[in-house]
Amino acid sequence: MRVDKFLSSVNILKRRSIAQDMCDEGVVSINNKKVKSSKEVRVGDIIRLHYLEYTKIYEVLALPTTKTIPKSQSSQYFREIFE
């Protein structure tokens, strides 16, 4: 699954277009490498979102099979890591 699609499907970001823009600007990295929006996400990957004042880190636990999932089920697909 593409990283932009994953971020919007599991409700980390609201829209896929926002995820694509963030990838284009170099805000998104997977396993410490900046990625394009077409980069494939795999279970176990570490996704970092580098905002201006902080960084959010997520571990991919599973890949969704549907386009969107309910927010109540988001915890099955990713885990936020606090450093």
Side-chain angles (χ1 to χ4, degrees), residues 1 12 16-17 19 25-26 30 32 44 48 52-53 59 64 70-73 76:
M1 174 176 272
I12 293 174
R16 185 172 173 184
S17 62
E25 295 297 323
I30 296 177
N32 293 322
R48 294 175 192 267
L52 292 175
E53 297 180 6
E59 179 183 5
K71 283 191 175 189
S72 61
Q73 295 179 3
Q76 297 173 8

Side-chain angles (χ1 to χ4, degrees), residues 4-6 15 20 22-23 29 31 33 44 46-47 49 52 58 62 70 75 81 83:
D4 59 344
K5 195 170 181 181
F6 177 80
R15 288 188 297 277
Q20 288 173 329
M22 290 176 73
C23 290
S29 63
N31 300 327
K33 293 182 183 175
I46 304 297
I47 299 175
L49 302 178
L52 292 175
Y58 303 97
S75 62
I81 300 172
E83 289 186 326

Side-chain angles (χ1 to χ4, degrees), residues 37-71:
S37 58
S38 60
K39 172 72 173 159
E40 290 291 317
V41 176
R42 294 183 174 83
V43 174
D45 282 348
I46 304 297
I47 299 175
R48 294 175 192 267
L49 302 178
H50 304 279
Y51 295 102
L52 292 175
E53 297 180 6
Y54 58 93
T55 299
K56 292 243 183 191
I57 305 169
Y58 303 97
E59 179 183 5
V60 178
L61 302 177
L63 298 176
T65 55
T66 59
K67 186 174 180 181
T68 58
I69 59 166
K71 283 191 175 189

Side-chain angles (χ1 to χ4, degrees), residues 6-21:
F6 177 80
L7 291 172
S8 64
S9 293
V10 298
N11 303 306
I12 293 174
L13 297 173
K14 288 189 178 203
R15 288 188 297 277
R16 185 172 173 184
S17 62
I18 293 172
Q20 288 173 329
D21 291 343

